[in-house]
Amino acid sequence: MLALLAVPVFAVVTVVSMPSAAAQPELSGKTVEYSVLARDGVAAGKAEAAVKAAGGKVVRSNPAVGLVTATAPENGFSQRLAGSQDVLYASRTRVIGQSPDRAADKRVVKEAQEKGAKGAKAKAAPKAGMDPLDGQLWGLTAVRSNLSRTEQPGDRRVKVGILDTGVDGSHPDIAPNFDAALSRNFTHDIPTDELGQVVDGPCEFRGCVDPANWDDGGHGTHVAGTIAAAANGFGVSGVAPNVSIVNIRGGQDSGFFFLQPVVDALTYAGDSGIDVVNMSFFVDPWLYNCPDNPADSPEEQAQQRTIITAMTRALNYAHRKGVTNVVALGNQHEDNGNPLPDRTSPDFPDNTAKVRTVDNATCRSLPVEGPHTIGVSALGPSGGKADFSSYGLEQISVSAPGGYFRDYFGTPRFRTNENLILSTYPKNVGVADGNIDADGNVTPDGVAVGVQKACKANGACGYYQFLQGTSMASPHASGVAALIVSEYGRYSGNKVTMDPDKVQRVLEGTAFETPCPEPRTVDYLDEGRDATFTATCQGDKNFNGFYGNGVVDAWAAVTQGGRYAH
């Protein structure tokens, strides 16, 4: 479907004396939505009061971050709010155009395919076996989940939050581990804008809010399957096949991630006892948020400052509450410590992107460059860094299988679907993509891109698709993190807790050390990439820019991680 996106347009708020009621600007025009961010140390309630005093209506509020969503007339409200000493920034939301393919492309890399102190633990969970399609999941064996599940397949009380486009909770490989009670959707579908242009398309459900077991994008369901598809003798299984999946949706049907839903999802994760959160996206519309880039207008600078401040608060909050945040490093094929010029921001509206020099000291790509995040790069089935994967000593923590379509150049394996990552695929998305027909059969187009179907004796069927990207790497690391919490966490009734810093120490300490390639500079010219993909690996075997501390290793994590867990 065509997709249009809601874009925050920020007004710079200057602290001045509040004008008298008689001097305040008149409110006029149609009612629109605003985001209002409280100043540091100011309670959200004071920002709410400022909104009401300025003539607005509070729609929802996130007290953990101080982010308030409000509605008010389009004219005069920002100027009135500018007088409040409790408000840092205010933003108006408006709807503009964007194509869905462009939204999806930045989450996955599309190719022209061949069409803490350990408390008392309950008795060990039953060991898990492998599922029929697992032989195609080279990533599963690369991280040695086939071995780890014989010792620690994960505990149902350990909960992994999927902060993504949603999760298909009805998929036969997802349903056994799906926690419907805790799952939430923090987004609201936007069918059309004020001009009648399509945004997320017609609402599938009354109220224009998708259920918490729904995914119209497919990205989140693929991620969830890699982490924790059930080992149930059917389809595929995940890295941690016995842990629970919680949908904390923050992405639109169109694949874009707005600030408010992402912040709400992160703070909810902290409040609801979620142990690990996987994030395979960046917060739109800026790949890099720069507080004072001279190429940006004052309004654009204010927008980026708001994203930096709100995301920093949300990530800190989740970490304090015991959440381990695992984040994809990015598909920009650049050294995160020496970024290339940003040519894609803002990524909406259409045709507004400009070339910006990125100041590494002040600009942030979020969430990966926020506090308390574990950055994951992507490798291919040969073990080499995927051409698209970002890298560098500054942000990387570990590496994991993410797929690499162009791996094995010069062999029959080059440019084959099997080099990618196979995982769960919502039927509704497959139908919309033209890969599944109305009768549930895989179409010729679906066959060409490797879509597969598996059915149980009772007639229930599941579908699976191949994807690649650092979005596919971070779920492998999230699965290992969930196994670490299962093995070394403190159990108390129906809850398991483990200090996120300890989880990270185990994940990094047990990763399989992988040295830089020789020669250290790798080009991908033979593979058909241009010189901007050429990458140089810095560091040594213990820690380097391609693999960080190494490739995540589920077996080593659950059998040798105790030395790092205390």
Side-chain angles (χ1 to χ4, degrees):
M1 66 178 75
L2 284 176
L4 303 169
L5 302 178
V7 182
V9 180
F10 288 82
V12 181
V13 177
T14 305
V15 179
V16 295
S17 300
M18 179 68 80
S20 66
Q24 291 193 56
E26 181 181 352
L27 298 178
S28 63
K30 60 183 175 294
T31 299
V32 297
E33 188 175 270
Y34 291 84
S35 292
V36 180
L37 187 64
R39 288 190 174 276
D40 290 341
V42 173
K46 290 188 175 182
E48 294 175 28
V51 166
K52 295 174 183 176
K57 178 182 177 181
V58 174
V59 177
R60 66 182 184 272
S61 179
N62 188 312
V65 172
L67 192 61
V68 178
T69 297
T71 56
E74 62 179 334
N75 300 317
F77 179 69
S78 294
Q79 291 89 336
R80 287 188 176 193
L81 203 57
S84 173
Q85 296 185 9
D86 296 322
V87 173
L88 182 62
Y89 303 113
S91 68
R92 174 187 162 186
T93 300
R94 63 184 174 93
V95 178
I96 54 80
Q98 178 62 49
S99 70
D101 285 344
R102 189 167 154 206
D105 282 349
K106 64 181 187 157
R107 313 304 172 193
V108 297
V109 180
K110 291 188 174 181
E111 293 275 10
Q113 295 181 348
E114 308 300 324
K115 210 102 206 134
K118 192 170 167 183
K121 193 192 323 185
K123 63 181 181 179
K127 308 302 184 282
M130 301 289 281
D131 281 350
L133 298 181
D134 285 352
Q136 300 180 57
L137 274 59
W138 59 268
L140 203 66
T141 51
V143 303
R144 299 208 289 178
S145 172
N146 58 320
L147 298 179
S148 64
R149 65 188 58 200
T150 66
E151 175 68 24
Q152 175 56 269
D155 190 284
R156 187 169 300 277
R157 290 166 289 184
V158 174
K159 303 181 186 304
V160 181
I162 313 299
L163 207 174
D164 214 291
T165 61
V167 175
D168 177 9
S170 68
H171 192 288
D173 264 325
I174 299 293
N177 290 338
F178 187 71
D179 190 328
L182 273 185
S183 291
R184 299 287 188 274
N185 173 16
F186 294 98
T187 68
H188 194 293
D189 284 352
I190 307 168
T192 61
D193 69 3
E194 59 202 48
L195 300 177
Q197 294 177 303
V198 176
V199 183
D200 285 323
C203 295
E204 300 92 344
F205 300 93
R206 289 184 177 91
C208 290
V209 176
D210 294 342
N213 66 345
W214 189 258
D215 181 9
D216 266 328
H219 190 275
T221 299
H222 194 282
V223 164
T226 297
I227 295 171
N232 54 359
F234 170 85
V236 301
S237 65
V239 173
N242 282 10
V243 303
S244 293
I245 296 167
V246 184
N247 177 24
I248 50 171
R249 176 176 167 179
Q252 299 293 129
D253 289 346
S254 51
F256 286 81
F257 289 74
F258 301 124
L259 179 63
Q260 180 80 52
V262 171
V263 165
D264 288 347
L266 276 170
T267 57
Y268 173 78
D271 291 336
S272 60
I274 292 175
D275 300 287
V276 178
V277 168
N278 185 90
M279 290 175 275
S280 299
F281 60 89
F282 64 82
V283 178
D284 295 298
W286 302 93
L287 172 59
Y288 282 96
N289 295 277
C290 304
D292 54 4
N293 194 307
D296 301 329
S297 69
E299 291 78 14
E300 290 173 328
Q301 292 174 357
Q303 183 185 49
Q304 294 168 78
R305 293 187 199 115
T306 301
I307 294 172
I308 292 170
T309 304
M311 283 299 295
T312 298
R313 291 178 184 176
L315 289 165
N316 280 331
Y317 183 86
H319 179 265
R320 288 196 304 271
K321 291 282 190 169
V323 178
T324 298
N325 294 306
V326 182
V327 186
L329 201 60
N331 299 333
Q332 289 72 45
H333 55 86
E334 65 182 359
D335 183 339
N336 288 112
N338 185 26
L340 298 169
D342 180 4
R343 301 176 183 274
T344 64
S345 300
D347 60 7
F348 53 85
D350 274 331
N351 303 316
T352 60
K354 51 195 170 185
V355 179
R356 304 189 305 156
T357 299
V358 178
D359 176 18
N360 187 58
T362 59
C363 299
R364 297 287 180 269
S365 184
L366 293 163
V368 70
E369 294 192 325
H372 309 298
T373 57
I374 297 172
V376 187
S377 69
L379 57 88
S382 70
K385 184 187 83 68
D387 58 359
F388 56 79
S389 180
S390 293
Y391 59 97
L393 298 171
E394 184 176 289
Q395 300 298 333
I396 194 170
S397 173
V398 290
S399 187
Y404 179 18
F405 186 62
R406 304 183 189 214
D407 209 350
Y408 296 117
F409 175 76
T411 77
R413 296 181 179 181
F414 179 60
R415 297 179 66 89
T416 56
N417 294 327
E418 290 74 18
N419 290 341
L420 310 181
I421 302 298
L422 184 69
S423 190
T424 41
Y425 190 27
K427 179 182 178 182
N428 59 296
V429 178
V431 171
D433 289 345
N435 293 329
I436 302 170
D437 66 23
D439 295 325
N441 301 308
V442 178
T443 65
D445 282 349
V447 171
V449 296
V451 173
Q452 298 178 42
K453 176 182 180 180
C455 295
K456 295 183 176 182
N458 64 4
C461 297
Y463 298 86
Y464 308 87
Q465 68 169 328
F466 285 103
L467 293 176
Q468 68 175 350
T470 53
S471 288
M472 285 63 253
S474 61
H476 285 88
S478 291
V480 177
L483 293 178
I484 291 168
V485 177
S486 299
E487 181 67 20
Y488 306 108
R490 183 183 296 277
Y491 285 74
S492 177
N494 290 324
K495 295 184 178 180
V496 189
T497 58
M498 186 170 176
D499 182 344
D501 292 335
K502 292 182 179 179
V503 177
Q504 182 169 358
R505 285 202 298 270
V506 177
L507 185 71
E508 294 175 346
T510 59
F512 183 73
E513 293 182 350
T514 306
C516 288
E518 291 295 343
R520 286 174 173 254
T521 296
V522 180
D523 69 56
Y524 302 93
L525 301 177
D526 287 338
E527 289 80 1
R529 299 301 199 184
D530 62 35
T532 65
F533 283 78
T534 298
T536 299
C537 183
Q538 297 178 308
D540 55 25
K541 183 178 181 181
N542 294 325
F543 183 80
N544 61 68
F546 278 14
Y547 303 100
N549 290 278
V551 180
V552 295
D553 188 330
W555 171 248
V558 301
T559 60
Q560 303 169 31
R563 73 185 79 171
Y564 305 101
H566 305 293

